[in-house]
């Protein structure tokens, strides 16, 4: 413990010394670490960040369901479902292959331009749709890995009780699959949250654009630091929450029965 | 009009080029207990899995209480809900408590209400000394307890027929007895059972009839005393001799 503390102090001390001794340090410090500006800028940028929060909350809720659906479609066995599986594969290949920013640009600019009756023309709407499309492809692969990690004997046991294919999936296979993929699922969700900044290419004044506007006004990068802090601030609680979920599940299964 | 609980006629099953079952004919009367013995790979497990329709068969017929369950357009889920199977590796659902494991089938496949399914499960768990385990998760139980839960899970469906697939093979020796005791009790109560087993003294004790499976056919069958004391087929004699030599009979 003492060694750990000492080595940590020495390491970061040396790092801080080197960085602050660099020739451009004073200018760097003035550009990124203006604390009074930080406090002043925070409320405005945090308000813009609410747009990002809205986008990722909606997108995550939708992706949880659509990705599961896609993974299940791709796991359907037998020759009858070949076209379904093929479609699912094409979808995944396509939306994992195209850069997210391109999907956002194409849908966000293209769909409103169609001026179709009943088709929303909000950039935020289409940006959210784009993120859903892309992340459905990623997350469905995570789910699929989970589904395939559940041993076939579990399905056999469920089917031998007379459960239908769907009931076995719903009550036996998926609950185990989802528990196993919670960490990588969270990984993708953090990625999605960060990718809401890509919506800025459509001109929506969300967190990144707001920080950029502020930066352009007084040529100070502290506004970007505010944006960065906000992203980190929402990621950390999510990570700890997931750790807690996993630990709780493990406790329940191994350290004694807690009736629910 | 057939009175047999189960009738298998000319059952063939291959996995790719490997022919595992090469024409099985077998009948079980109501309340009869039949043990399948034979070397590993002789087809015992495959036969049980075919009866439960977990494996599609290549040729032949399986008739359960007069209904051909291998015919086209049979509702396999309904057939399976009437046949219990207990696996060597227990295959309990690790994310569910004991009670949830036992009530899942009755609730989802038989569509019983929660109260009725719980009542049925509690009664069975109590009967087999598992009442205090109902809220535990499988990982917390010993192998013997897990296998008893698996048997209870099958019984909760009130099956016509119970298939046991080497239910003690994955257990530590000192846990075998508690599971065999349960099976013995079921036999006394008149449960129709088809049991694949390596426990020869148990087979001799509990079975009304013993079938010796060799290379995918039933080579010899008869009363336990006849099979174990005076096997007619040289292959049966050989197999039993090896068991005796290993000190297992």
């Amino acid at each position: 413990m003492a060694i750990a503390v000492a080595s940590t102090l020495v390491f970061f001390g040396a790092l801080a010394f080197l960085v602050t001794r660099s020739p451009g340090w004073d200018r760097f410090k003035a550009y990124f670490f203006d604390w009074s500006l930080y406090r002043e800028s925070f409320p405005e940028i945090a308000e813009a960040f609410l747009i990002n929060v809205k986008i990722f909350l909606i997108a995550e809720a939708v992706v949880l369901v659509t990705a599961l659906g896609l993974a299940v479609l791709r796991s359907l066995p037998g020759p009858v479902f070949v076209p379904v599986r093929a479609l699912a594969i094409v979808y995944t290949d396509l939306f994992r292959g195209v850069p997210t920013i391109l999907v956002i640009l194409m849908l966000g600019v293209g769909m409103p331009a169609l001026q179709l009756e009943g088709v929303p023309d909000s950039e935020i709407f289409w940006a959210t749709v784009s993120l859903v499309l892309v992340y459905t492809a990623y997350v469905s692969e995570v789910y699929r890995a989970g589904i395939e990690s559940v041993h076939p004997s579990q399905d056999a046991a469920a089917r031998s009780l007379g459960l239908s294919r769907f009931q076995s999936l719903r009550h036996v296979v998926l609950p185990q699959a989802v528990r196993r993929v919670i960490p990588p699922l969270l990984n993708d969700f953090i990625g999605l949250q960060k990718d809401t900044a890509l919506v800025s290419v459509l001109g929506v004044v969300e967190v990144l654009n707001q920080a950029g506007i502020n930066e352009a006004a007084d040529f100070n990068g502290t506004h970007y630091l505010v944006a960065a802090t906000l992203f980190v601030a929402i990621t950390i609680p999510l990570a700890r929450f997931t750790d807690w979920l996993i630990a709780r599940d493990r406790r329940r299964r191994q350290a004694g029965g807690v009736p629910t | 009009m057939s009175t047999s609980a189960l009738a298998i006629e000319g059952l063939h099953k291959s996995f790719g080029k490997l022919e595992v079952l090469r024409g099985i004919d077998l009948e079980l009367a109501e309340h009869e207990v039949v043990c399948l013995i034979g070397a590993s790979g002789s087809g015992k497990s495959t036969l049980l899995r075919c009866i439960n329709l977990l494996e599609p068969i290549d040729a032949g017929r399986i008739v359960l209480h007069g209904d051909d369950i291998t015919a086209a357009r049979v509702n396999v889920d309904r057939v399976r809900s009437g046949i219990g199977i207990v696996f060597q590796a227990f295959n309990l659902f690790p994310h569910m408590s004991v009670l949830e494991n036992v009530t899942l089938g009755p609730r989802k496949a038989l569509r019983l209400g929660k109260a009725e399914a719980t009542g049925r499960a509690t009664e069975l768990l109590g009967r087999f000394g598992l009442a205090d385990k109902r809220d535990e998760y499988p990982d917390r139980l010993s192998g013997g307890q897990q296998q008893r839960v698996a048997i209870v899970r099958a019984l909760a469906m009130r099956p016509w027929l119970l298939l046991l697939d080497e239910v003690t093979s994955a257990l530590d020796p000192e846990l075998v007895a508690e599971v065999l005791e349960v099976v013995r009790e079921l036999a006394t109560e008149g449960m129709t059972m088809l049991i694949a087993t390596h426990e020869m003294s148990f087979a001799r004790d509990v079975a009304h009839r013993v079938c010796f499976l060799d290379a995918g056919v039933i080579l010899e069958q008869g009363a336990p005393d006849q099979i174990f004391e005076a096997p007619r087929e040289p292959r049966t004699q050989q197999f039993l001799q090896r068991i005796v030599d290993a000190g297992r009979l």
Side-chain angles (χ1 to χ4, degrees):
Chain A
M1 181 66 191
I3 298 173
V5 171
S7 85
T8 308
L9 283 177
V10 169
F11 177 77
F12 285 104
L15 196 67
F17 180 79
L18 278 176
V19 170
T20 52
R21 279 309 173 92
S22 63
W25 170 247
D26 285 335
R27 275 180 54 211
F28 183 88
K29 191 177 150 205
Y31 182 73
F32 276 117
F33 300 111
D34 185 334
W35 296 117
S36 65
L37 195 61
Y38 188 98
R39 277 192 297 274
E40 191 190 311
S41 164
F42 192 88
E44 195 179 13
I45 293 182
E47 205 189 324
F49 187 61
L50 288 180
I51 294 177
N52 300 66
V53 172
K54 194 173 110 185
I55 292 173
F56 75 65
L57 282 182
I58 293 170
E60 282 172 355
V62 178
V63 165
L64 269 181
V65 178
T66 52
L68 187 60
L70 187 65
V72 167
L73 289 183
R74 201 165 161 185
S75 306
L76 290 175
V80 188
F81 295 109
V82 166
V84 179
R85 286 201 298 272
L87 266 178
I89 291 170
V90 169
Y91 177 91
T92 311
D93 285 354
L94 198 66
F95 282 99
R96 275 199 310 179
V98 180
T100 311
I101 196 164
L102 281 180
V103 179
I104 291 176
L105 271 174
M106 287 194 284
L107 287 184
V109 176
M111 297 311 284
L114 286 177
Q115 296 186 321
L116 277 172
E117 196 69 35
V119 171
D121 60 356
S122 142
E123 280 97 355
I124 294 180
F125 176 84
W126 287 110
T128 312
V129 169
S130 308
L131 287 170
V132 166
L133 289 173
V134 170
Y135 275 88
T136 293
Y138 280 115
V139 174
S140 80
E141 287 296 282
V142 170
Y143 275 130
R144 196 165 67 94
I147 290 171
E148 285 178 5
S149 78
V150 177
H151 197 273
S153 65
Q154 285 287 309
D155 182 56
R159 300 301 306 275
S160 77
L161 288 171
L163 267 65
S164 67
R165 188 195 304 268
F166 174 79
Q167 286 175 324
S168 167
L169 195 67
R170 157 86 180 73
H171 298 288
V172 172
V173 177
L174 286 183
Q176 297 183 60
V178 170
R179 275 174 175 82
R180 287 178 201 184
V181 298
I182 285 175
L185 206 64
L186 169 82
N187 226 16
D188 278 345
F189 274 8
I190 290 174
L192 191 158
Q193 294 178 358
K194 294 193 296 184
D195 276 357
T196 57
L198 296 175
V199 176
S200 60
V201 297
L202 296 177
V204 176
V205 185
E206 44 65 73
V207 70
L208 182 59
N209 272 344
Q210 185 66 58
I213 290 166
N214 291 11
E215 194 272 348
D218 49 25
F219 302 108
N220 196 295
T222 304
H223 304 292
Y224 290 130
L225 188 68
V226 175
T229 335
L230 287 166
F231 277 108
V232 174
I234 50 148
T235 305
I236 290 175
L238 187 58
R240 293 296 85 76
F241 175 66
T242 313
D243 290 346
W244 177 79
L245 271 184
I246 293 166
R248 188 192 66 166
D249 184 52
R250 187 169 302 146
R251 265 200 313 277
R252 261 216 318 212
R253 290 202 294 126
Q254 285 166 1
V258 182
T260 44
Chain B
M1 186 63 201
S2 163
T3 52
S4 59
L6 176 74
I8 300 169
E9 299 159 14
L11 177 57
H12 284 257
K13 171 70 188 174
S14 302
F15 292 106
K17 284 203 171 122
L18 181 69
E19 202 175 8
V20 181
L21 300 177
R22 301 183 300 141
I24 298 276
D25 295 288
L26 178 65
E27 268 196 62
L28 260 76
E30 195 87 43
H31 309 304
E32 195 180 15
V33 176
V34 172
C35 280
L36 297 168
I37 61 169
S40 298
S42 57
K44 303 188 296 290
S45 292
T46 306
L47 175 56
L48 296 185
R49 291 175 65 88
C50 286
I51 296 170
N52 204 17
L53 306 180
L54 287 172
E55 300 287 352
I57 65 171
D58 299 328
R61 254 159 48 99
I62 302 173
V63 181
L64 185 72
H65 280 277
D67 294 325
D68 182 352
I69 60 172
T70 43
R73 298 188 179 284
V74 161
N75 181 339
V76 293
D77 297 335
R78 259 193 53 202
V79 169
R80 288 201 191 102
S81 69
I83 306 176
I85 185 165
V86 181
F87 303 93
Q88 181 176 342
F90 329 139
N91 298 0
L92 291 178
F93 308 127
H95 61 299
M96 294 183 185
S97 69
V98 165
L99 184 67
E100 289 165 335
N101 264 278
V102 178
T103 53
L104 181 70
R107 291 199 62 190
K108 301 303 168 188
L110 302 181
R111 307 218 166 272
L112 294 190
K114 186 172 183 177
E116 195 182 351
T118 305
R120 205 185 254 203
T122 310
E123 189 248 311
L124 280 169
L125 289 169
R127 227 174 78 200
F128 295 105
L130 294 159
D132 56 330
K133 305 293 180 201
R134 54 171 260 171
D135 295 321
E136 295 277 11
Y137 282 75
D139 290 356
R140 290 263 297 160
L141 304 180
S142 74
Q145 289 166 341
Q146 290 191 48
Q147 194 58 295
R148 276 149 62 206
V149 171
I151 294 173
V152 167
R153 179 173 72 177
L155 291 176
M157 300 295 292
R158 303 211 172 134
W160 313 62
L161 168 70
L162 193 59
L163 309 170
L164 303 181
D165 187 4
E166 299 189 20
V167 292
T168 57
S169 297
L171 295 176
D172 292 336
E174 76 271 20
L175 302 175
V176 169
E178 61 180 86
V179 172
L180 293 185
E181 200 41 56
V182 169
V183 180
R184 206 166 273 142
E185 201 182 318
L186 294 175
T188 320
E189 287 167 13
M191 173 63 77
T192 313
M193 288 189 282
L194 184 56
I195 305 173
T197 186
H198 285 301
E199 300 284 338
M200 297 304 154
S201 51
F202 168 75
R204 189 169 181 168
D205 193 30
V206 80
H208 300 121
R209 185 151 49 102
V210 173
C211 299
F212 174 65
L213 234 76
D214 186 62
V217 292
I218 295 176
L219 199 60
E220 181 169 3
Q221 55 178 306
D225 283 345
Q226 182 258 305
I227 296 287
F228 290 110
E229 298 288 337
R232 278 185 283 269
E233 297 289 332
R235 298 276 302 162
T236 320
Q237 292 162 7
Q238 231 174 52
F239 172 75
L240 290 171
Q241 189 56 49
R242 278 206 303 273
I243 302 253
V244 170
D245 290 347
R248 298 293 294 272
L249 188 65

